[in-house]
Amino acid sequence: MRFLRVALFIAPLAVGVQIDRQGRETYDGYKVFRVVTDDEQLTGFEAQLGSLSAIELSRNRGHIDAHHFDIAVPPESLDAFEALNYEAETLTEDLGADIALEGELQPFPGLEKSTSGVAAAALPSFSWFSAYHPYADHLTFLKSLQAAFPSNSELITAGTSFEGRTIQGIHLWGSGGKGSKPAIYYHGNVHAREWISSITVEYITYQLINNYSNDTAIKAALDNYDFYILPIVNPDGFVYTQTTTRLVRYPSPPVLATCGGESLLRGVGTDINRNWPNGHWDGAGSSTSPGSETYRGEAPGDTPENTGIRIFGDKLGAGKGIKLYIDFHSYGQYILTPYGYSCSATAPNQSKQDTLARNTGAAIAAVHGTRFTTGQTCATLYATAGGSNDYFTDVTTAELAWAIELRDTGTYGFTLPANQIIPTGEETWAGQKYLWANF
């Protein structure tokens, strides 16, 4: 097998791929199924995914002898899939129609005319949260947020992506002054197709700034902690999902894997969230194959994105320390504590983390009734060797290091309609407010 690093993303080649007028792959006629397998069926089913040209969207291997996969099957493979006779539930009749519900990408909407918050005239319009947006407009949004809070914020960078994009974020602080308090460190969109994660992180940022002067609980949070927020830590992949192929996990950097003269083009590259050098990089839950969406890389921490966000986090840990780290994902509605590399290992403060996670879930549910499952990553969902919350627990020694999988549980999956952005933000905001007040 020969591996060749390439500087450009490679469009997946699948049977029946359709391209729209903007050059983007469409998914018209794809059906999404939840397939249940047992241990004996598992290996055979995984092998059959490729022959079906199916896209694996999600899997849950947290329960002994029971595994479920969410897969998108193209129309020309539907008969072959049904002939396999697996136990399956139809989640989506037409994936292309679901993607249409996300709406077209909308430009930056400008600034608010009035609000009760800090520097009201300079805040971005709240209508930002009514749609999804092009990558460049996310950068404009961050700049506008910083301009609305000029004495208590700065734009930050955490390295550069494989294609040369700056990993951009924002640092917020309160009355103690810049860099004077323990850190709260948020990541979004490490996996390219998880659009709801970045805009939810931005919702949290917006509300922190808007409520600092009129909500004593928010003022206390910013006075007690420095917030370091990176909404899009995989900018190359994010751009690719907006311009070419919506549903790729698309890790970075891409790798063209050639086996017997055939190229493996779907899901290639290194999964940034299996690349963390936490001492368990080569364990269960990651792959050695560049053709896998959970490819761990050639060496621990060898992606430029991981290097940038890791060095930034290391500096925070070596400074005032990290009180809370959260990597926001979708989908599934989980609050996941360490560890991912082992289903039996526990964090030193596991009992405290379990209680806080359950109560955070209750705070989320109180807003719109959305229920989150809480627990340790491996035992609750699946093994994730080389994951970020393990790294921040063991290496950077954050007090709390979580992964949160946002809405939903599979009805729309990664293609959450735009009208769910604000409800997702509202409930996530409530959960975070609970955490900040109850550490």
Side-chain angles (χ1 to χ4, degrees):
M1 181 178 287
R2 180 173 60 88
F3 305 126
L4 173 66
R5 290 189 179 275
V6 292
L8 298 175
F9 283 111
I10 306 165
L13 299 179
V15 176
V17 167
Q18 303 172 48
I19 305 297
D20 67 14
R21 285 181 293 181
Q22 287 76 41
R24 298 172 300 191
E25 184 177 349
T26 68
Y27 298 89
D28 295 343
Y30 278 65
K31 285 189 175 184
V32 178
F33 299 97
R34 175 160 293 167
V35 181
V36 178
T37 68
D38 58 27
D39 283 338
E40 292 182 0
Q41 297 171 315
L42 180 61
T43 301
F45 176 74
E46 290 177 316
Q48 288 159 340
L49 287 178
S51 65
L52 293 170
S53 298
I55 303 168
E56 183 183 324
L57 301 176
S58 179
R59 64 172 64 192
N60 184 330
R61 293 191 290 188
H63 303 287
I64 297 174
D65 198 35
H67 315 269
H68 79 237
F69 294 77
D70 293 353
I71 61 170
V73 179
E76 63 275 5
S77 297
L78 289 172
D79 289 343
F81 169 73
E82 291 175 3
L84 295 175
N85 201 31
Y86 284 103
E87 180 185 346
E89 172 190 359
T90 302
L91 299 180
T92 295
E93 290 287 349
D94 188 340
L95 182 56
D98 284 354
I99 290 174
L101 293 176
E102 288 185 311
E104 293 296 320
L105 299 176
Q106 297 298 314
F108 179 69
L111 306 179
E112 288 282 13
K113 294 181 179 179
S114 64
T115 183
S116 58
V118 177
L123 271 169
S125 170
F126 190 74
S127 64
W128 173 262
F129 301 105
S130 298
Y132 295 104
H133 307 277
Y135 172 69
D137 292 76
H138 284 270
L139 303 183
T140 301
F141 179 80
L142 280 179
K143 291 177 182 177
S144 298
L145 282 179
Q146 194 281 322
F149 205 42
S151 299
N152 295 80
S153 71
E154 63 182 356
L155 294 176
I156 56 176
T157 61
T160 304
S161 72
F162 180 71
E163 292 189 337
R165 294 180 177 90
T166 299
I167 299 174
Q168 188 76 62
I170 190 168
H171 171 200
L172 311 176
W173 62 85
S175 60
K178 173 183 171 181
S180 64
K181 303 295 182 180
I184 291 176
Y185 190 27
Y186 291 150
H187 287 172
N189 245 129
V190 67
H191 293 141
R193 60 193 175 189
E194 298 171 9
W195 290 5
I196 191 62
S197 66
S198 51
I199 203 164
T200 299
V201 169
E202 291 168 346
Y203 186 97
I204 295 168
T205 310
Y206 184 101
Q207 296 294 1
L208 280 165
I209 294 172
N210 192 43
N211 290 286
Y212 180 67
S213 66
N214 55 35
D215 186 322
T216 56
I218 302 313
K219 186 176 189 306
L222 270 170
D223 288 348
N224 290 327
Y225 303 103
D226 277 57
F227 285 75
Y228 301 85
I229 300 169
L230 302 174
I232 302 172
V233 300
N234 181 6
D236 296 351
F238 184 68
V239 170
Y240 191 80
T241 61
Q242 294 193 328
T243 60
T244 307
T245 305
R246 172 66 184 89
L247 280 176
V248 291
R249 184 182 177 100
Y250 224 88
S252 177
V255 177
L256 175 60
T258 304
C259 300
E262 295 185 2
S263 296
L264 304 175
L265 298 179
R266 182 174 293 279
V268 297
T270 303
D271 183 346
I272 301 165
N273 203 40
R274 299 296 186 275
N275 191 231
W276 291 85
N278 57 15
H280 305 283
W281 165 80
D282 56 353
S286 66
S287 174
T288 59
S289 170
S292 169
E293 290 188 334
T294 57
Y295 176 52
R296 66 180 63 138
E298 295 178 357
D302 66 349
T303 62
E305 294 84 356
N306 185 279
T307 299
I309 59 181
R310 172 168 41 85
I311 290 174
F312 192 92
D314 288 347
K315 290 179 179 177
L316 297 180
K320 298 296 181 180
I322 299 176
K323 182 72 173 181
L324 170 67
Y325 166 78
I326 298 181
D327 194 8
F328 286 90
H329 291 261
S330 73
Y331 58 93
Q333 296 172 198
Y334 292 94
I335 300 173
L336 301 170
T337 66
Y339 286 99
Y341 80 89
S342 168
C343 291
S344 57
T346 58
N349 62 346
Q350 191 67 54
S351 178
K352 177 181 180 179
Q353 296 210 49
D354 291 343
T355 298
L356 286 171
R358 285 194 299 269
N359 291 342
T360 298
I364 291 171
V367 180
H368 296 295
T370 309
R371 301 291 176 181
F372 277 65
T373 301
T374 66
Q376 294 168 259
T377 304
C378 179
T380 304
L381 191 59
Y382 46 64
T384 57
S388 62
N389 58 342
D390 289 3
Y391 181 88
F392 278 94
T393 298
D394 287 346
V395 181
T396 314
T397 63
E399 184 173 332
L400 306 173
W402 294 357
I404 293 183
E405 301 276 356
L406 299 167
R407 291 190 182 192
D408 56 10
T409 58
T411 300
Y412 295 102
F414 298 117
T415 60
L416 202 66
N419 63 13
Q420 292 197 37
I421 295 172
I422 290 175
T424 301
E426 290 170 339
E427 64 198 18
T428 306
W429 172 246
Q432 294 306 292
K433 285 197 296 181
Y434 166 81
L435 263 182
W436 305 332
N438 292 278
F439 284 140

